[in-house]
Amino acid sequence: MTDSSSSTASTEDTGDLESALAAIQRRDPSGPIARPVAEEPVRSARSNRRATLGLALVFLLIAGVIQVLTVTPDLRDEPNTGSRAAVVFGNAQAGACLGWPPDAPDRPSFVQCREDHMFEVAKSVDMSSFGEPCQAAVRSYLGPRYDPNSRFTIGVLWAGDAQGSRNLLCGLQLLGIDGKPTAFKGAVAELDQSKVWIPGTCLGIDTAARRSTDIPVDCAKEHAVEVTGSVGLAERFPGGPPPEPEQDAYIRDLCTRLTEGYLAPVPLQATGLALNYSTLAPASWNAGSRQVSCGLVSPGEQGLNPLVGSVRNPAPGDQAPPPPPPPETTEQAPPPPAATTTTTTAAPVVTSATPAPPPPAESPAPASPAATTPSTPTSPTPPELGPPPGPAPGEPLPEETPPPGVILVPGLPPITLPGFAPPPPPPPPPPAP
């Protein structure tokens, strides 16, 4: 029984081993029965669909690139000024200094404040919430160094709708000729903000208010003030704000000297203009301003009269108003002397050629040789007042024969022919026995 049970167990073990090997062969992909024949067509169809979708995506991508290249303009050669301005306006903070090329404020860039710059930022404000004026922003930015009479003006920079920025920049700038911003160096809080200009600068005029605009203009245009110099007060008044009377006396004396030197050799009184200056207010003094400008103006009844041209190169309009003309008089000039009048109107020349009446018959004296010799008058002698000699008016003149060599023209003096020698006088009669 032992042997039969052993053979039976061996047979069962052999059957189990074959069953396990058959199962392993069915699960192994490399075995002959790993893939059923019915699944092969399904997997081939899926692969074909994936390949078709891939090709379609490639075609769509190529078509999109072609459309972009043909529709979108090429911006590689255009200056990217908009983006640069947007970066500047979006990142500018209080104390930043900006510069830009001439007449191109839409192309700003950050620069060092110790170098030439055109604008000093006091505050960046969003346009949607802009509720405070820039003057308040500048006052807060400068603090105790804020000068209400500063030569620096408060300005606003705006990037524009095309720049992609919605910020406004409030700040300070220095105006030059015709109100155009000009470059300056240093932070405003560290500078003397006094309103002074170089000698020879002309300041514009507000024709409505008849006062100076404090903006430099060309002297050939109408202006209110011509600057002749500036006076510094720091050495004379080293402490706090000096009293106005002391300032006035000190400034007047120095401005007079500077102006006389500016006009030399022409004296100030000869220009007909007046000296112009102002004193420093306590607020300006506390802000660090220590200088005053001197100038020349033409005062009028309601303000300043406009000037044209430099005082050192005067133009017709750059003079004081002329004095009013003297009142007209009704007196007439005295009439000319009577002799002058009669010379041109009376005594016709023909009267000088009228022979004198013959002597009386009883006179035995012979005629004088001078009576027969014609004489050429050198200058007509004005006749005496009274009726001219000769026939009465309306009576014909007697016909007479002129002497030889003399031509008579009515209205003209006798004309003696040149080179004519009068005939010799007749011999005297023989003496009586």
Side-chain angles (χ1 to χ4, degrees):
M1 292 182 60
T2 302
D3 296 337
S4 60
S5 61
S6 299
S7 58
T8 303
S10 298
T11 304
E12 291 177 358
D13 292 339
T14 302
D16 293 339
L17 181 57
E18 292 177 354
S19 300
L21 291 174
I24 290 173
Q25 289 179 354
R26 285 195 301 268
R27 293 177 183 177
D28 186 7
S30 60
I33 55 174
R35 295 178 182 271
V37 178
E39 292 182 359
E40 291 296 333
V42 176
R43 293 185 181 276
S44 300
R46 289 178 181 176
S47 300
N48 293 337
R49 283 197 297 271
R50 289 176 182 175
T52 303
L53 289 175
L55 290 175
L57 291 175
V58 171
F59 284 122
L60 289 176
L61 181 60
I62 294 174
V65 171
I66 294 174
Q67 184 177 7
V68 169
L69 293 177
T70 55
V71 175
T72 304
D74 187 6
L75 302 178
R76 291 175 295 178
D77 297 334
E78 296 184 2
N80 195 11
T81 58
S83 61
R84 182 173 67 178
V87 170
V88 171
F89 277 80
N91 295 275
Q93 301 296 326
C97 294
L98 306 180
W100 51 76
D103 299 327
D106 57 336
R107 300 172 58 190
S109 58
F110 291 106
V111 296
Q112 296 291 331
C113 292
R114 64 175 177 269
E115 304 295 338
D116 284 339
H117 56 279
M118 312 290 286
F119 194 86
E120 182 175 339
V121 180
K123 189 174 183 180
S124 176
V125 182
D126 187 85
M127 292 178 60
S128 60
S129 60
F130 184 73
E132 60 175 338
C134 278
Q135 184 175 3
V138 171
R139 183 190 296 268
S140 176
Y141 168 69
L142 292 177
R145 298 288 294 181
Y146 173 75
D147 185 354
N149 197 37
S150 172
R151 63 189 173 105
F152 296 95
T153 60
I154 299 174
V156 180
L157 284 185
W158 177 39
D161 294 337
Q163 305 295 341
S165 175
R166 299 289 295 175
N167 286 349
L168 292 175
L169 299 180
C170 295
L172 295 157
Q173 56 188 359
L174 183 63
L175 300 184
I177 295 293
D178 296 331
K180 294 183 178 180
T182 185
F184 62 96
K185 293 182 179 181
V188 175
E190 301 173 359
L191 301 176
D192 188 326
Q193 304 174 49
S194 303
K195 282 186 175 180
V196 292
W197 299 269
I198 61 174
T201 302
C202 294
L203 306 179
I205 185 171
D206 184 345
T207 54
R210 304 288 294 274
R211 61 180 180 83
S212 173
T213 61
D214 292 337
I215 297 177
V217 297
D218 189 346
C219 290
K221 300 180 180 179
E222 288 190 348
H223 55 275
V225 183
E226 181 170 349
V227 178
T228 59
S230 59
V231 174
L233 305 179
E235 294 183 2
R236 175 64 177 81
F237 304 102
E244 185 174 353
E246 296 183 16
Q247 286 191 62
D248 185 82
Y250 181 72
I251 296 171
R252 177 183 293 274
D253 179 56
L254 291 185
C255 276
T256 302
R257 297 181 188 179
L258 290 172
T259 303
E260 291 284 2
Y262 178 81
L263 294 174
V266 180
L268 174 59
Q269 292 77 7
T271 64
L273 303 177
L275 190 65
N276 176 259
Y277 63 89
S278 62
T279 57
L280 284 174
S284 298
W285 188 275
N286 294 331
S289 299
R290 295 291 187 275
Q291 301 180 75
V292 170
S293 180
C294 309
L296 289 170
V297 296
S298 174
E301 295 182 357
Q302 299 180 351
L304 300 178
N305 297 323
L307 301 173
V308 179
S310 173
V311 179
R312 293 189 292 187
N313 233 349
D318 196 13
Q319 301 292 339
E328 297 182 358
T329 58
T330 57
E331 298 179 0
Q332 298 181 357
T340 305
T341 305
T342 56
T343 302
T344 57
T345 58
V349 182
V350 291
T351 59
S352 62
T354 303
E362 61 271 16
S363 177
S368 175
T372 58
T373 303
S375 61
T376 304
T378 57
S379 59
T381 303
E384 298 179 0
L385 296 178
E395 206 174 329
L397 296 175
E399 296 182 1
E400 60 181 357
T401 303
V406 178
I407 300 175
L408 296 179
V409 179
L412 297 176
I415 302 173
T416 302
L417 297 176
F420 176 78

